[in-house]
Amino acid sequence: QDEETRKDYDYMLDHPEEYYRHYYHYYSRRLAPKVDVRIVILVTVCAISVFQFFSWWSSYNEAINYLATVPKYRIQATEIARQQGLLNKTKEKGKNRRSKEEIREEEEEIIKDIIKNKIDIKGGYQKPKIYDILLFQILLFPFYLCKYIAWSCWWIYCFRIKGQEYGEEEKLYIIRRYMKMSQSQFDSLEDHQKETFLERQLWVRENYEVYKREQEEELKKKMAMDPRWKRYRRWMKNEGPGRLTFIDD
């Protein structure tokens, strides 16, 4: 450090006209961060990963709380709790007797636990997995890359070279790619929707294009019949940006 400072000082004496350049180098060296950049990156990645994990847990718990209010799932969970004798335990008498509020809270937790165990929530509100956070995704990237390359080679060999027919999983994969949906988005679709995709053979590009046009036409009809959309179009026609004027004094 001292050697570099001395060199800069000697250079300034030899080139006094470059004062501002010397000034910049001096303070840039003095104010340069002393922390290893790798440590900063690691801490940042860990912080993002922790935030991700707790954010996903919050979304998952919100989904559970919502499902506990849906009659369809609440009735099923309550029936399972009764069959397992879990609700009877909350109504103990004698010394262990509790208030109605405590019993209600405990029954609510039992119902939520059953919903967690019995219902497979997919999509953006599914149960968080530690391997999905950023830190593990970075650490496992080489493994995922090798896995993807191996899968791509298998796909090319089976379906392009050997000409094998697609299985149900492969058909759904092609349909998902055509729809430009992530795996979690596609998993959140109802089973009957996926069955419709298969019945219509949407893994064939021509069939998918027909289906896509049908969906676009149906969406246009719904928007045309929607009173809110009608009001918006009327506003755009009569009072929207195209009708902007100035009032003369």
Side-chain angles (χ1 to χ4, degrees):
Q1 180 76 16
D2 293 337
E3 184 66 25
E4 292 179 1
T5 304
R6 181 174 293 278
K7 287 180 179 178
D8 286 342
Y9 181 73
D10 292 338
Y11 184 86
M12 185 191 71
L13 293 178
D14 295 336
H15 303 83
E17 73 280 0
E18 298 184 19
Y19 171 78
Y20 289 107
R21 180 179 178 275
H22 172 74
Y23 184 83
Y24 168 75
H25 280 289
Y26 174 75
Y27 278 99
S28 63
R29 185 177 294 111
R30 288 287 301 273
L31 299 176
K34 302 296 189 294
V35 181
D36 192 334
V37 176
R38 292 171 296 183
I39 296 177
V40 174
I41 294 174
L42 178 61
V43 171
T44 302
V45 169
C46 290
I48 293 174
S49 301
V50 171
F51 175 78
Q52 273 184 325
F53 190 72
F54 283 101
S55 176
W56 287 341
W57 262 111
S58 176
S59 297
Y60 174 69
N61 287 327
E62 285 179 8
I64 294 297
N65 291 335
Y66 170 73
L67 291 175
T69 64
V70 177
K72 173 184 175 181
Y73 301 110
R74 188 175 185 88
I75 291 171
Q76 291 179 1
T78 304
E79 185 61 28
I80 292 173
R82 286 202 182 97
Q83 291 175 0
Q84 296 179 355
L86 298 175
L87 295 182
N88 296 331
K89 294 180 181 179
T90 63
K91 300 178 181 179
E92 295 174 348
K93 298 180 180 180
K95 295 181 180 179
N96 296 326
R97 188 174 183 180
R98 283 159 293 176
S99 65
K100 291 183 179 180
E101 183 65 23
E102 290 175 333
I103 293 174
R104 190 190 66 78
E105 290 178 358
E106 188 172 343
E107 289 180 349
E108 192 69 20
E109 289 301 318
I110 290 172
I111 291 172
K112 290 179 181 178
D113 286 338
I114 291 175
I115 291 175
K116 287 180 182 178
N117 296 325
K118 296 295 182 180
I119 297 179
D120 182 20
I121 301 176
K122 297 179 180 179
Y125 295 95
Q126 64 186 1
K127 190 172 183 178
K129 299 176 183 177
I130 194 168
Y131 293 108
D132 291 335
I133 64 176
L134 180 62
L135 178 62
F136 280 96
Q137 289 292 303
I138 293 174
L139 294 176
L140 296 173
F141 176 75
F143 168 74
Y144 289 138
L145 180 60
C146 293
K147 185 178 179 181
Y148 176 76
I149 293 173
W151 177 86
S152 299
C153 293
W154 169 82
W155 183 280
I156 294 171
Y157 174 74
C158 290
F159 303 116
R160 295 190 181 179
I161 297 176
K162 294 186 66 177
Q164 294 182 3
E165 292 187 2
Y166 296 127
E168 182 176 307
E169 185 176 346
E170 289 74 34
K171 292 174 181 177
L172 290 174
Y173 168 76
I174 296 172
I175 295 170
R176 179 174 69 81
R177 293 298 298 270
Y178 284 162
M179 293 183 170
K180 298 179 180 179
M181 300 175 68
S182 66
Q183 186 64 57
S184 61
Q185 289 175 326
F186 195 76
D187 288 342
S188 64
L189 297 177
E190 298 290 342
D191 291 337
H192 68 84
Q193 291 178 290
K194 297 177 183 178
E195 291 174 3
T196 301
F197 298 159
L198 294 173
E199 289 173 1
R200 298 196 58 173
Q201 300 182 0
L202 298 189
W203 67 89
V204 179
R205 187 77 195 192
E206 293 77 11
N207 295 342
Y208 173 73
E209 292 298 334
V210 173
Y211 173 82
K212 182 180 178 181
R213 287 194 294 270
E214 291 176 356
Q215 293 298 307
E216 290 173 349
E217 289 298 323
E218 185 176 346
L219 180 60
K220 289 179 181 179
K221 290 179 181 178
K222 287 182 179 180
M223 294 177 70
M225 298 299 294
D226 190 344
R228 292 173 298 180
W229 179 246
K230 288 182 178 179
R231 286 196 299 270
Y232 173 75
R233 286 187 300 176
R234 189 162 53 247
W235 177 83
M236 287 295 293
K237 181 179 179 181
N238 299 326
E239 303 177 20
R243 301 285 296 177
L244 184 63
T245 58
F246 290 94
I247 300 175
D248 296 330
D249 293 332

